[in-house]
């Protein structure tokens, strides 16, 4: 059966150029990265820092680990950190900030990732009050996964930074898909990173590497993050083997390829709208499309019925399905998906 896997951009597999790169490796390109001696990792970290516009970068095993070592580096146990209420760190990272970091989590509401700064001002703790934990870290997510790949614009990021500075907070950006924001806005990625003290971005999503993410920031931040990475088991020795994929992923041509995913998400959205179903099809800004059912539905039944027809997707709550476009999915797959989704949704009894 033909399968179109629209569950996530994490299902992507390496490109032929990435396989060529890995084949060209030999032992001279590998070393012990815990000792800072893996030339491939060092090259990737330097390349990433340059592209992101920060002093230094650090290769980590995953986005989750990157966010964790960033939070551990930017805030101390007993302090309060501010996370957007639908953020990946809050919803999907197993509460690591609290469990491992001893950090108190405060969530803030937002409009597609951007809070009302006057409202969240009321959440800031008074550092001089003997009863309160100090607020020390503010986090944002760009693009925002649960808000359907929404882009937080540079001017809004500037407001985050201003708010953070005014309140003596560090500002960390979960930029798992920051290159999607940059490509969709036709702006250099540094416009999206320059206001953050630290940023995490993933190689293993739209950039289609099998493993790995990077964190970037000041030299001082990266030194701390390197030690925390070791603490949480992320010191990986001859990791140049897997990091080498990232050297291809960070080439301008490969970053620009994300445009195709954005285009496909729009085609999917238009196609689903034309089916005339009782659903709200959100307008995708990047590669994530959310479809909301307006009738009360059994969402898992829908997911199963779609899977039976070869269309894989995730539900993100009781009424919403998320479709993600990515490397390996072409326009023909999208047209096929529209047809199949139409057949399933018209035929299903909720
Ligand atoms: C916004 C966001 N941040 C962080 C992560 C975590 O990345 P990883 O799956 O590599 O741990 C994800 C994963 O989907 C994500 O969507």
């Amino acid at each position: 059966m033909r399968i179109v896997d629209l569950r996530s951009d994490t299902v992507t597999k390496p490109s032929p150029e990435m396989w060529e790169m890995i084949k060209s490796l030999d032992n001279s390109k590998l070393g012990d990265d815990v000792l800072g001696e893996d030339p491939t990792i060092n090259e990737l970290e330097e390349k990433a820092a340059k592209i992101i516009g920060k002093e230094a970068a650090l290769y980590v095993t995953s986005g989750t680990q990157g966010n964790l070592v960033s939070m551990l580096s930017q805030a101390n146990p007993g302090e309060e950190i501010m996370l957007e209420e639908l953020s990946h760190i809050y919803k999907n990272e197993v509460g690591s900030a609290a469990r491992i970091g001893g950090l108190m989590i405060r969530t803030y509401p937002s409009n597609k990732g951007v809070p009302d700064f006057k409202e969240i001002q009321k959440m800031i703790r008074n550092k001089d009050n003997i009863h309160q934990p100090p607020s020390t870290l503010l986090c944002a997510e760009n693009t925002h996964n649960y808000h359907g790949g929404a882009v937080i614009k540079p001017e809004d990021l500037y407001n985050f930074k201003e708010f953070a500075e005014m309140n003596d907070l560090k500002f960390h950006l979960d930029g798992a898909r920051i290159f999607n924001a940059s490509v969709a806005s036709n702006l250099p990625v540094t416009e999206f990173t320059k206001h953050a003290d630290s940023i995490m971005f993933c190689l293993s999503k739209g950039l289609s590497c099998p493993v790995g993410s990077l964190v970037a920031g000041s030299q001082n931040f990266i030194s701390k993050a390197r030690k925390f990475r070791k603490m949480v088991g992320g010191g990986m020795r001859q990791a140049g083997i897997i990091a080498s994929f990232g050297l291809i992923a960070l080439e301008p041509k490969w970053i620009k390829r994300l445009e195709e995913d954005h285009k496909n998400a729009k085609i999917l959205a238009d196609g689903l709208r034309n089916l005339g179903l009782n659903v709200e099809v959100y307008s995708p800004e990047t590669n994530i499309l959310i479809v909301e059912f307006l009738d009360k539905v059994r969402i898992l039944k829908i997911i199963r019925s779609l899977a039976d027809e070869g269309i894989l997707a995730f539900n993100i709550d009781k009424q919403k399905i998320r479709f993600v476009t990515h490397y390996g999915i072409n326009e023909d797959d999208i047209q096929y998906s529209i047809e199949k989704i139409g057949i399933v949704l018209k035929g299903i009894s909720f």
Side-chain angles (χ1 to χ4, degrees):
M1 183 172 53
R2 180 171 175 182
I3 302 284
V4 184
D5 192 345
L6 299 169
R7 288 173 301 169
S8 177
D9 45 11
T10 56
V11 302
T12 44
K13 298 194 178 145
S15 67
E17 291 93 328
M18 288 177 184
W19 283 116
E20 283 311 311
M21 165 61 106
I22 203 165
K23 280 188 216 144
S24 75
L25 286 184
D26 59 27
N27 284 348
S28 71
K29 305 265 178 50
L30 300 173
D32 188 335
D33 179 51
V34 174
L35 305 178
E37 290 173 6
D38 188 298
T40 308
I41 295 268
N42 292 343
E43 188 182 344
L44 178 67
E45 291 178 345
E46 275 164 34
K47 186 167 178 156
K50 198 160 169 224
I51 293 174
I52 289 295
K54 298 289 178 199
E55 274 174 19
L58 177 73
Y59 185 67
V60 289
T61 58
S62 64
T64 301
Q65 188 180 66
N67 282 328
L68 174 61
V69 299
S70 299
M71 292 186 288
L72 294 174
S73 307
Q74 300 287 34
N76 298 305
E79 294 176 351
E80 189 162 275
I81 65 170
M82 299 172 75
L83 301 176
E84 199 269 342
E85 62 189 0
L86 294 180
S87 63
H88 194 274
I89 298 180
Y90 180 61
K91 278 176 70 87
N92 282 4
E93 299 187 9
V94 209
S96 65
R99 178 68 174 83
I100 301 175
L103 299 166
M104 189 138 129
I105 295 173
R106 187 89 178 263
T107 58
Y108 63 83
S110 79
N111 177 13
K112 294 187 177 176
V114 181
D116 177 333
F117 289 98
K118 282 205 191 84
E119 278 304 310
I120 66 165
Q121 186 63 49
K122 297 176 195 154
M123 293 181 177
I124 297 288
R125 307 287 202 148
N126 177 353
K127 288 193 174 60
D128 299 326
N129 185 323
I130 194 170
H131 303 284
Q132 300 188 354
S135 320
T136 55
L137 176 64
L138 173 67
C139 299
E141 183 174 311
N142 201 10
T143 64
H144 199 298
N145 186 343
Y146 281 89
H147 288 297
V151 176
I152 302 182
K153 296 188 180 70
E155 52 269 33
D156 291 320
L157 292 166
Y158 174 80
N159 292 335
F160 272 99
K161 169 195 143 99
E162 215 186 19
F163 177 85
E165 277 177 3
M166 256 165 37
N167 291 291
D168 200 15
L169 311 171
K170 290 276 169 31
F171 175 33
H172 172 70
L173 194 57
D174 174 350
R177 299 183 179 81
I178 199 69
F179 289 103
N180 293 85
S182 155
V183 166
S185 314
N186 205 12
L187 288 171
V189 72
T190 46
E191 288 301 303
F192 293 87
T193 58
K194 67 183 182 190
H195 299 308
D197 296 304
S198 54
I199 170 155
M200 181 287 291
F201 72 89
C202 295
L203 295 172
S204 60
K205 301 207 160 53
L207 296 180
S208 69
C209 293
V211 194
S213 292
L214 286 126
V215 292
S218 67
Q219 201 61 257
N220 183 36
F221 163 76
I222 290 297
S223 303
K224 286 191 203 168
R226 191 176 290 282
K227 191 155 179 176
F228 282 119
R229 182 187 70 171
K230 185 76 176 79
M231 183 190 281
V232 297
M236 288 190 293
R237 311 299 177 182
Q238 289 74 32
I241 289 189
I242 46 173
S244 63
F245 289 107
L247 291 169
I248 300 293
L250 290 181
E251 283 299 307
K253 176 182 141 205
W254 198 247
I255 292 171
K256 204 169 154 38
R257 194 211 58 78
L258 294 169
E259 276 172 0
E260 287 170 27
D261 302 341
H262 301 171
K263 189 170 143 232
N264 283 334
K266 284 200 174 70
I267 296 172
L268 182 59
D270 291 343
L272 296 184
R273 266 190 214 109
N274 289 340
L275 293 174
L277 302 162
N278 195 24
V279 294
E280 180 174 353
V281 178
Y282 290 35
S283 295
E285 291 179 45
T286 53
N287 67 328
I288 300 179
L289 170 65
I290 292 180
V291 175
E292 180 171 2
F293 292 86
L294 302 176
D295 295 319
K296 207 164 168 358
V297 292
R298 284 163 62 202
I299 204 85
L300 290 177
K301 185 177 172 191
I302 297 176
I303 293 287
R304 272 196 304 271
S305 305
L306 287 171
D308 288 343
E309 290 296 325
I311 308 300
L312 307 187
F314 277 143
N315 56 304
I316 58 164
D317 67 24
K318 286 184 181 158
Q319 292 296 119
K320 292 181 190 152
I321 293 188
R322 186 190 77 164
F323 298 99
V324 184
T325 53
H326 52 78
Y327 178 59
I329 298 291
N330 59 30
E331 199 177 326
D332 187 58
D333 295 318
I334 296 293
Q335 296 300 353
Y336 177 79
S337 304
I338 295 166
E339 195 184 313
K340 287 287 178 189
I341 295 169
I343 293 169
V344 170
L345 296 185
K346 282 178 185 161
I348 205 165
S349 58
F350 303 120

